[in-house]
Amino acid sequence: YEAAKVLATRGNEIILNDSKKEEELDQDKIKELKELGVQFVFGSHPDDLLDSSFDYLIKNPGVPIHHKYVLKAQELNIEVINEVEMAYRLFPKNITLVGITGTNGKTTTTSLTYEIVKKALGDKAFLAGNIGYPLSSILNDLKEGDTVVMEVSCQQLENLSTFHPSIAVMTNLSPAHIDFFGSYEAYKKVKAKLFKNQTKDDIAILNIENGDVIEETKNLSLIHISEPTRLDGIEEARVGVKKKMGGGGGGG
């Protein structure tokens, strides 16, 4: 809904497809989008809906990665993105983006981080992402120099390409969403995409206590910091703050 609304108000031609029947959906939202010129196809996924006239396929994160429309788009060389990628491309200049992911704890970490940033920056701080606020929903309020704190799910990471957090956080990794991605290895590689576009000027924060997190980010240049702990008899202060090397990286 939010993605379609943003694009429609910017003069794009949109067809929104949903397998549910029209009466099963939010009628107020449908009415608003229709008034903006959005076209709908309800009740099924017609085989002939997608053709080479489309510039993008914006996939709902919950749609399977091997859905027939995704495969057809790839066959037609139509870029497949998601709401997060779309909204990111419409950001004003000089936005500080804090992206937080992980198997567990990302919602709590995102909430606490936002409260800290809000305390420091006031109305220049925004909360978005998998925590319940689509990135598209804050676009019209964002101004140059603002900071966005965002929870990023694995499904949202799947179809990102230019998304670039200034600060990226990985809380932990453990087996999850295997049915969706096919394997734990595939899931981990998707999670690591959060760091894909970071450069030496960006910051990533890792959980050094989680072996899978460290393994998936082993190609990055790291400075680890965490709570004081004993390592080979030496007490260190280490918390997982890392700087990434320019280019390359730990993306899947």
Side-chain angles (χ1 to χ4, degrees):
Y1 164 75
E2 291 292 346
K5 182 178 176 180
V6 164
L7 291 174
T9 56
R10 286 165 169 76
N12 295 278
E13 183 179 349
I14 303 158
I15 297 177
L16 198 156
N17 174 233
D18 198 307
S19 61
K20 293 181 180 179
K21 296 180 180 179
E22 182 172 356
E23 55 269 23
E24 298 179 79
L25 301 170
D26 189 315
Q27 297 302 301
D28 289 337
K29 290 183 177 179
I30 291 173
K31 181 176 182 293
E32 181 180 9
L33 291 179
K34 283 184 175 179
E35 290 174 350
L36 290 171
V38 175
Q39 302 174 55
F40 289 87
V41 175
F42 294 113
S44 68
H45 301 304
D47 289 338
D48 60 352
L49 178 61
L50 197 63
D51 59 41
S52 60
S53 66
F54 288 82
D55 295 309
Y56 302 98
L57 174 66
I58 301 177
K59 184 180 80 65
N60 184 298
V63 172
I65 56 179
H66 298 301
H67 190 280
K68 66 179 181 180
Y69 284 166
V70 176
L71 299 178
K72 184 65 176 295
Q74 292 169 348
E75 180 185 321
L76 295 171
N77 291 318
I78 298 170
E79 186 176 11
V80 180
I81 61 176
N82 58 30
E83 179 269 339
V84 172
E85 176 69 18
M86 182 220 78
Y88 176 76
R89 294 183 185 187
L90 296 174
F91 267 17
K93 294 180 179 179
N94 299 322
I95 297 294
T96 299
L97 176 62
V98 182
I100 299 169
T101 197
T103 303
N104 299 298
K106 58 184 177 294
T107 299
T108 301
T109 303
T110 301
S111 299
L112 290 173
T113 302
Y114 169 68
E115 290 301 326
I116 293 170
V117 174
K118 183 180 179 183
K119 185 75 172 178
L121 301 181
D123 61 5
K124 294 186 72 61
F126 291 84
L127 179 66
N130 196 56
I131 201 165
Y133 307 97
L135 202 55
S136 301
S137 69
I138 66 171
L139 270 178
N140 289 335
D141 297 319
L142 280 181
K143 299 176 294 296
E144 184 172 350
D146 287 345
T147 295
V148 176
V149 179
M150 179 181 177
E151 178 184 342
V152 192
S153 71
C154 55
Q155 291 91 345
Q156 289 173 323
L157 284 163
E158 174 64 28
N159 295 110
L160 298 179
S161 59
T162 66
F163 184 79
H164 181 174
S166 308
I167 302 171
V169 181
M170 178 86 79
T171 59
N172 50 59
L173 284 173
S174 61
H177 302 288
I178 306 302
D179 290 344
F180 192 87
F181 290 103
S183 69
Y184 182 38
E185 290 303 314
Y187 167 76
K188 288 188 292 184
K189 289 188 181 302
V190 167
K191 280 291 196 180
K193 287 182 178 180
L194 183 67
F195 309 102
K196 178 181 178 181
N197 294 321
Q198 285 194 297
T199 73
K200 61 182 177 59
D201 297 318
D202 299 317
I203 294 174
I205 301 176
L206 304 174
N207 179 357
I208 195 175
E209 310 295 341
N210 186 281
D212 285 340
V213 169
I214 301 306
E215 175 65 22
E216 288 304 314
T217 57
K218 64 184 178 182
N219 291 331
L220 309 181
S221 177
L222 307 180
I223 301 173
H224 292 119
I225 307 173
S226 148
E227 61 187 55
T229 186
R230 292 263 171 197
L231 183 64
D232 294 331
I234 302 173
E235 186 170 294
E236 293 185 350
R238 52 192 190 106
V239 147
V241 180
K242 82 167 171 38
K243 282 249 184 181
K244 179 169 180 183
M245 296 184 296

